[in-house]
Amino acid sequence: MPTATLTKKKAGATSAPQTALRSSFTIDPITPIIGAEIGNIDLGVELDEETFKQLRATLVKHKVLVFREQDITPAAQVAFARRFGVLETHPVFPKHPEHPELVVLGGDASKPAQENIYHSDYSWREEPSMASILRCIECPAHGGDTLWINMVAAYERLPESIKSRLAGLRAVHDLMPAFGGRMTAEKREATRRQYPMVEHPVVRTHPESGEKILYVNESFTTHFANFMENGEIRVGFDFRLAEMDLLQYLLRQAQIPEYQMRVRWKPNTIVMWDNRSTQHYAIQDYFPAVRRMLRATVIGDRTF
């Protein structure tokens, strides 16, 4: 079990550091394939460097980390997230009034939220996100769970005949299918100029673990960029239908329960996940009850 030195100073606070506390965090796997509950840790406390390194390695290994009873401030959430890198500012979602790095997620009693689609955050960026840190502020008594999916396993367990078809294949990712409908025509035009469509490998490599990852998602992946290079074409629809069939087959891999884990939210639960190797799906089975979340997202690297 890893040993940690925690400096008793609330992240984002101005008070002087208190006495150092010796502690250790526990790791309790959620499924054999993805996720772990992390205990005996306070994310509102400034972690020493060794603890931080151990926590990052645990994230890469388990891909999703669940922390319970984390009654921390928005400033502390931002400070914790910044330990992992520069934070994103979302161009569409509402933001916390004091911390624009925090996205405010959730509808209200008149309008349900719309995150119930399999996706990886910010895959539409040239440098997709490294990780997201989501804290539950308010959640319904029943329902509102979130699923996470191990996309390393989704790739590893593909038939070899499919894997061979994916070699060198690139996919186009676009924020407009998910967010364009929320904008005016003028806003769509401006957003398109700022965030053009991007290409990523269909099978990307994790920059820390070296794992191969199936990297397409139904929220942002629109088509393959170079599908025609990989086969002979008799007539046009041969190419188009084969491309659509393959893409739909790959998108369905995220729906396989054996690759998934599920979190039941409680107030002050924080979940951190590796966006490079996972997808997630926020179940909308609780409307008109309300679920409110704050999310920080860390910018990642170019895919390869």
Side-chain angles (χ1 to χ4, degrees):
M1 185 179 300
T3 301
T5 302
L6 306 184
T7 304
K8 259 307 198 185
K9 175 184 176 184
K10 286 287 183 181
T14 57
S15 58
Q18 300 180 26
T19 304
L21 172 67
R22 297 294 298 182
S23 185
S24 59
F25 63 81
T26 60
I27 305 170
D28 184 14
I30 294 173
T31 80
I33 201 168
I34 182 173
E37 292 248 6
I38 306 300
N40 198 30
I41 193 168
D42 182 354
L43 300 186
V45 166
E46 186 176 326
L47 306 181
D48 69 89
E49 190 62 24
E50 182 60 27
T51 302
F52 169 74
K53 289 179 180 178
Q54 292 167 351
L55 195 62
R56 183 167 185 140
T58 304
L59 173 67
V60 171
K61 177 180 179 180
H62 291 281
K63 300 175 175 54
V64 181
L65 305 182
V66 180
F67 307 86
R68 300 291 187 181
E69 299 180 1
Q70 299 292 324
D71 187 8
I72 66 174
T73 64
Q77 183 176 350
V78 169
F80 172 71
R82 279 188 177 141
R83 291 293 299 274
F84 293 86
V86 178
L87 302 187
E88 298 272 9
T89 301
H90 201 283
V92 179
F93 282 141
K95 303 167 185 63
H96 189 280
E98 298 175 9
H99 303 280
E101 308 93 338
L102 290 178
V103 166
V104 180
L105 296 173
D108 54 37
S110 63
K111 181 181 179 182
Q114 298 177 351
E115 293 86 41
N116 53 337
I117 186 170
Y118 290 97
H119 65 285
S120 176
D121 293 333
Y122 292 93
S123 76
W124 44 267
R125 282 195 185 271
E126 199 165 340
E127 296 180 344
S129 68
M130 173 261 174
S132 293
I133 299 97
L134 184 65
R135 176 171 171 242
C136 179
I137 307 302
E138 178 183 358
C139 53
H142 308 287
D145 296 355
T146 301
L147 305 175
W148 278 271
I149 306 93
N150 182 340
M151 298 308 294
V152 173
Y155 174 72
E156 287 177 346
R157 300 183 184 186
L158 285 174
E160 291 300 323
S161 60
I162 297 293
K163 288 182 180 180
S164 66
R165 296 176 65 188
L166 304 185
L169 196 59
R170 298 180 65 81
V172 175
H173 295 242
D174 185 2
L175 89 165
M176 284 301 178
F179 297 114
R182 311 181 192 199
M183 306 175 190
T184 64
E186 293 77 12
K187 176 66 173 176
R188 282 196 297 273
E189 183 177 350
T191 303
R192 170 59 75 214
R193 289 195 298 268
Q194 187 175 3
Y195 303 107
M197 293 181 286
V198 298
E199 291 183 19
H200 298 301
V202 170
V203 182
R204 69 173 293 186
T205 303
H206 197 287
E208 297 181 62
S209 69
E211 294 170 307
K212 297 298 183 182
I213 303 155
L214 181 59
Y215 198 67
V216 294
N217 68 85
E218 67 180 6
S219 186
F220 303 123
T221 306
T222 58
H223 62 285
F224 298 126
N226 59 337
F227 185 81
M228 287 186 68
E229 298 174 4
N230 294 348
E232 295 182 1
I233 305 303
R234 179 179 60 96
V235 292
F237 66 77
D238 283 355
F239 144 68
R240 189 60 180 147
L241 290 178
E243 178 186 12
M244 290 190 294
D245 285 348
L246 179 59
L247 179 57
Q248 289 303 313
Y249 175 82
L250 297 179
L251 294 178
R252 287 198 296 271
Q253 302 307 303
Q255 302 173 21
I256 296 175
E258 283 79 1
Y259 306 155
Q260 298 179 351
M261 59 165 281
R262 184 171 182 140
V263 169
R264 182 174 184 181
W265 293 98
K266 297 179 182 179
N268 295 323
T269 292
I270 290 178
V271 178
M272 180 176 189
W273 65 93
D274 191 331
N275 267 310
R276 300 164 295 188
S277 56
T278 67
Q279 291 186 36
H280 55 285
Y281 182 107
I283 301 172
Q284 302 296 326
D285 58 354
Y286 56 90
F287 182 77
V290 174
R291 190 184 73 173
R292 294 190 303 116
M293 306 284 202
L294 290 179
R295 189 190 75 194
T297 303
V298 183
I299 296 174
D301 305 310
R302 288 178 179 267
T303 55
F304 62 96

